[in-house]
Amino acid sequence: MESTTRLDASQVEEDRYRLLVDAIADYAIYMLDTDGRVTSWNAGAERFKGYTRDEILGEHFSRFYTEEDRAAGKPARALETAEAEGRFEAEGWRQRKDGERFWAHVIIDPIRRPDGTLLGYAKITRDLTERREAEEILRRSEQQFRLLVQGVTDYAIYMLDREGRVSNWNAGAERIKGYRPEEIIGEHFSRFYSPEDRAAGLPQRGLATAMREGRFEKEGWRVRKDGSRFYAHVIIDAIKGDDGEVIGFAKITRDITERREAQRELELAREALFQSQKMEAIGQLTGGIAHDFNNLLMAVLGSLELLRKRMPPDPRLTPLIDNAVQGAERGAALTQRMLAFARKQELKLEPVRLNELVASMTGLLQPSLGPGIVIETDLPDDLPAVQSDPSQLEVALLNLAVNARDAMGENGAIRFTARPETVATVQHGGLAPGNYVHLAVSDTGEGMDAETLARATEPFFTTKGVGKGTGLGLAMVHGVAAQSGGQLRLSSKPGEGTTAELWLPVGGQAAKADAAPAAAPEAPTPRLKVLAVDDDNLVLVNTAYMLEDLGHTVVQAGSGAEALEILGAGEPFDLIVTDQAMPQMTGLQLAEHVAAGWPGLPLVLATGYAEVSPDADPGLARLAKPFTQKDLAVAIARAARPASPRSPA
Ligand SMILES: Nc1ncnc2c1ncn2[C@@H]1O[C@H](COP(=O)(O)OP(=O)(O)OP(=O)(O)O)[C@@H](O)[C@H]1O
Ligand SMILES: [Mg+2]
């Protein structure tokens, strides 16, 4: 009874094993006899080898091998190994019933009786095809990824260990930083930083941030192997292991020096454009105001002049008139500066020798400076002549020198230096290519902060207080330089003095300094019948008074059309004095009609600002506004003597 129970129990256990083995579908579990023939077969074996139990029992297991492996004797060797070593384990290709191959993991264990004799083999096979495929895909993608990272040349991509030592290096890193992999792997990445940044602890801070926040991103200067610097965009990402601990860092660096440079150029260009547009707008405004004021002041001055002439000398009245004249003259001088800034001044461009100009100007200036202020000049003797208006240029230099003086206390130095310069390409601010003389006026004064510097040439900008500075000094210098085809550039820092650079175009042979000025003809001119034309009645009346005072007979016309009407009526005239800037018909247009209809009738053209190019018609007598009675007399004398050759100014 007891033995039966034990037998039953072992039977039950065996059945359980069988059920278990049969149920396993993921492993082929079966037995071989000592020759290698199949003696049992489970569900897993059937599933992935494709044979049913009936088909395979008694067959030799070598049929699961590929033909090549069979030919090479692998099945027999597997059994030998299992018997000799107690176990055989391998991976390799096997064949299903339908001939399809699969990648198998195989274990063969020998089965022995208690006395040691061999009974057969237990064989466990697993289909690893899918896993192998997945591994293969992973391997290939890793390889491709490595090739990709390796091949990227625009980005330095590399890794650091936890301490910041370089652990790999791609082609981009080599290209950008200049180190070969064998030179740099194992080195600390802080060597890519500048000494200042290293001293300031920047590399460590970058790593600490990446460690703490997972990521660090910044732009800054880095150093190549050859010591040159480049502007880098840097990302450091922390790399975490499976346990979440940081095991190192991925670093991506891009060289953005060029992009940064291009951006800065763009900003500068934009800034320059904005500045020039602003100046242009202010220029037009200033020019317009100055033009109108000029006409008003001319009328005031002209009338005062005549009044002084006609009035009997009276000590109670004369000083008042003198005072009024002085005030009006100061106003006229201001409008001149405004016109100069607006580049609307009548410039008499001619070759100017700066050496002589500076010498005479400093001679003029010296007495007004205290004993503690010295003037130094350093101009080469063979400096080429520049193309400008000598008297305006002298005023410009005086303005610069006065600014220098105002910026210094009791002691200091004003220095004039000059050298020839060639501009090869178009520069910011629009200096055309060509030859220039670079004249610098520098002082050791208080200098300017950036804000003052940016606005210094703006008209009416002054830091000198109401009534002290007009803020038109530099505006005038700027205008004269620009109108001469050159430029004014200022550089200054608080406490480091100021340098004003005048760039003036080289031009022609300078006239001899002592050349006699065109002699003003003091010879009495005959009494003439003059037609005066101006659309501004105030100016017209003033001109007419001046002409009458000179002894001429005057007929007034308020426009070109009216003038032509008067001429057309047949009245004979000896001379026409006309304003240029008139609506409908300009002075030049009137001159054309006159030349066509009344050939030989002389004409004086009064121009308030440079709206007529100086060489428009060299035959015309030109009169710059505002003009005095004497200026008018000279112009008339020149125009009314057609026999004498008219010198083209
Ligand atoms: N050499 C210089 N050193 C320091 N600041 C200067 C210098 N030149 C000009 N500036 C600054 O630029 C401003 C404008 O100069 P600008 O010559 O146009 O007018 P101003 O000197 O104030 O008046 P004005 O010329 O009519 O006397 C000055 O008020 C001053 O703040
Ligand atoms: Mg000034």
Side-chain angles (χ1 to χ4, degrees):
M1 164 78 191
E2 205 201 2
S3 85
T4 317
T5 317
R6 205 185 299 141
L7 193 75
D8 284 353
S10 87
Q11 185 64 47
V12 167
E13 196 175 344
E14 203 187 309
D15 285 349
R16 271 207 206 119
Y17 274 122
R18 173 163 303 283
L19 283 172
L20 171 69
V21 169
D22 274 348
I24 291 173
D26 285 339
Y27 290 80
I29 302 175
Y30 55 100
M31 278 162 59
L32 306 175
D33 65 15
T34 49
D35 294 334
R37 263 182 278 272
V38 178
T39 57
S40 75
W41 201 241
N42 80 333
E46 184 169 336
R47 188 173 76 84
F48 59 78
K49 302 219 182 197
Y51 300 93
T52 62
R53 172 187 295 263
D54 296 342
E55 280 174 325
I56 202 67
L57 287 184
E59 294 296 327
H60 198 267
F61 86 109
S62 60
R63 68 163 52 203
F64 305 136
Y65 282 72
T66 63
E67 216 163 296
E68 312 90 83
D69 286 354
R70 267 201 305 274
K74 280 197 180 170
R77 233 177 299 134
L79 293 189
E80 280 163 26
T81 306
E83 189 184 355
E85 298 174 8
R87 184 185 173 84
F88 170 84
E89 183 169 359
E91 286 187 11
W93 290 108
R94 295 292 185 272
Q95 258 174 330
R96 301 187 216 278
K97 181 186 169 192
D98 62 7
E100 195 197 343
R101 294 183 173 202
F102 67 98
W103 186 258
H105 175 258
V106 178
I107 295 174
I108 306 177
D109 285 309
I111 305 169
R112 294 177 189 281
R113 282 215 182 80
D115 67 0
T117 47
L118 189 66
L119 256 182
Y121 303 92
K123 204 158 171 285
I124 302 178
T125 304
R126 225 174 120 197
D127 183 350
L128 293 183
T129 314
E130 278 182 12
R131 201 180 86 191
R132 188 183 151 83
E133 271 170 7
E135 274 172 5
E136 180 62 17
I137 288 170
L138 185 67
R139 197 185 62 78
R140 228 179 288 143
S141 104
E142 270 175 1
Q143 187 191 23
Q144 276 176 349
F145 189 67
R146 200 165 45 241
L147 286 175
L148 170 73
V149 170
Q150 265 309 319
V152 168
T153 55
D154 284 343
Y155 291 77
I157 304 176
Y158 55 97
M159 281 162 72
L160 306 177
D161 65 15
R162 267 182 70 92
E163 276 67 50
R165 279 183 300 262
V166 176
S167 53
N168 59 32
W169 198 242
N170 81 335
E174 181 172 339
R175 191 182 71 85
I176 293 174
K177 308 209 182 196
Y179 297 96
R180 308 223 8 102
E182 60 271 20
E183 290 175 307
I184 200 66
I185 289 176
E187 296 293 327
H188 199 264
F189 85 112
S190 60
R191 70 159 56 193
F192 307 136
Y193 287 71
S194 67
E196 310 90 81
D197 287 352
R198 266 205 303 275
L202 242 55
Q204 282 72 17
R205 238 180 293 149
L207 281 198
T209 306
M211 181 88 81
R212 198 173 55 240
E213 293 166 14
R215 182 188 167 81
F216 171 83
E217 180 170 356
K218 213 174 163 94
E219 292 181 0
W221 289 102
R222 295 292 183 274
V223 185
R224 291 184 234 272
K225 183 185 168 190
D226 65 8
S228 62
R229 295 191 177 199
F230 66 100
Y231 200 74
H233 175 258
V234 178
I235 294 176
I236 307 180
D237 279 306
I239 304 172
K240 291 187 175 149
D242 291 338
D243 57 358
E245 273 289 296
V246 171
I247 54 174
F249 303 92
K251 204 155 170 286
I252 301 181
T253 304
R254 204 153 36 115
D255 180 350
I256 55 169
T257 317
E258 275 178 18
R259 197 185 75 186
R260 181 182 146 95
E261 222 97 284
Q263 240 164 24
R264 280 189 33 169
E265 295 249 318
L266 190 68
E267 270 163 33
L268 280 181
R270 221 182 265 148
E271 176 85 0
L273 181 66
F274 172 73
Q275 187 67 16
S276 80
Q277 279 172 341
K278 185 170 92 174
M279 288 303 227
E280 197 57 47
I282 302 177
Q284 281 187 4
L285 187 69
T286 315
I289 296 172
H291 177 234
D292 285 352
F293 264 89
N294 217 13
N295 281 347
L296 299 178
L297 289 169
M298 231 173 77
V300 172
L301 269 176
S303 300
L304 287 172
E305 222 176 299
L306 294 178
L307 185 60
R308 181 154 55 185
K309 259 190 175 176
R310 289 182 190 175
M311 208 179 58
D314 180 340
R316 283 182 313 145
L317 299 182
T318 316
L320 292 180
I321 291 180
D322 287 349
N323 208 25
V325 168
Q326 259 181 35
E329 274 172 350
R330 282 247 308 263
L334 275 184
T335 60
Q336 280 310 300
R337 284 171 143 201
M338 286 161 72
L339 285 172
F341 169 73
R343 278 172 278 145
K344 285 189 166 162
Q345 186 158 243
E346 191 84 357
L347 281 196
K348 293 185 193 74
L349 291 182
E350 60 185 69
V352 182
R353 281 185 50 79
L354 287 174
N355 307 55
E356 285 151 21
L357 198 70
V358 169
S360 84
M361 204 273 310
T362 48
L364 212 77
L365 187 69
Q366 189 77 71
S368 78
L369 301 175
I373 293 183
V374 291
I375 297 181
E376 296 166 9
T377 55
D378 182 7
L379 285 83
D381 285 337
D382 56 355
L383 203 62
V386 297
Q387 187 76 12
S388 190
D389 180 317
S391 55
Q392 291 299 316
L393 200 53
E394 185 166 15
V395 177
L397 289 182
L398 200 64
N399 282 339
L400 293 178
V402 169
N403 280 352
R405 180 200 67 192
D406 291 350
M408 296 187 286
E410 304 267 288
N411 300 297
I414 308 177
R415 226 176 123 71
F416 294 83
T417 54
R419 58 168 196 271
E421 283 274 0
T422 301
V423 172
T425 53
V426 177
Q427 312 230 320
H428 283 316
L431 208 52
N435 293 323
Y436 292 84
V437 169
H438 170 267
L439 172 70
V441 183
S442 32
D443 63 60
T444 56
E446 60 190 5
M448 287 178 256
D449 57 28
E451 204 182 324
T452 307
L453 183 61
R455 299 193 57 193
T457 45
E458 247 175 55
F460 311 113
F461 175 81
T462 177
T463 56
K464 294 177 185 170
V466 184
K468 291 217 178 89
T470 65
L472 283 168
L474 287 177
M476 179 269 175
V477 180
H478 163 87
V480 169
Q483 214 180 336
S484 305
Q487 208 171 71
L488 166 70
R489 295 179 190 174
L490 292 174
S491 54
S492 185
K493 283 215 177 93
E496 290 179 23
T498 299
T499 299
E501 296 171 27
L502 271 181
W503 291 69
L504 295 165
V506 166
Q509 288 293 308
K512 274 267 173 288
D514 53 4
E522 286 297 318
T525 34
R527 288 162 188 270
L528 304 173
K529 183 145 185 221
V530 182
L531 178 58
V533 192
D534 201 308
D535 63 311
D536 187 328
N537 196 46
L538 199 61
V539 179
L540 181 59
V541 170
N542 187 51
T543 309
Y545 280 152
M546 284 188 185
L547 287 167
E548 276 166 5
D549 190 66
L550 287 170
H552 305 301
T553 316
V554 185
V555 174
Q556 301 178 18
S559 70
E562 198 187 331
L564 289 176
E565 214 173 282
I566 295 170
L567 284 171
E571 214 177 327
F573 283 91
D574 301 312
L575 178 77
I576 300 175
V577 176
T578 180
D579 185 33
Q580 159 63 10
M582 295 185 294
Q584 278 122 37
M585 191 187 294
T586 66
L588 269 181
Q589 285 165 344
L590 174 62
E592 274 168 30
H593 284 291
V594 170
W598 297 268
L601 178 54
L603 189 142
V604 171
L605 187 69
T607 49
Y609 48 101
E611 75 246 298
V612 180
S613 109
D615 40 33
D617 179 355
L620 282 177
R622 304 283 293 274
L623 183 58
K625 285 163 81 176
F627 50 84
T628 61
Q629 194 178 31
K630 194 169 158 200
D631 298 333
L632 183 60
V634 170
I636 290 173
R638 214 184 282 147
R641 283 182 306 170
S644 74
R646 292 164 191 164
S647 62

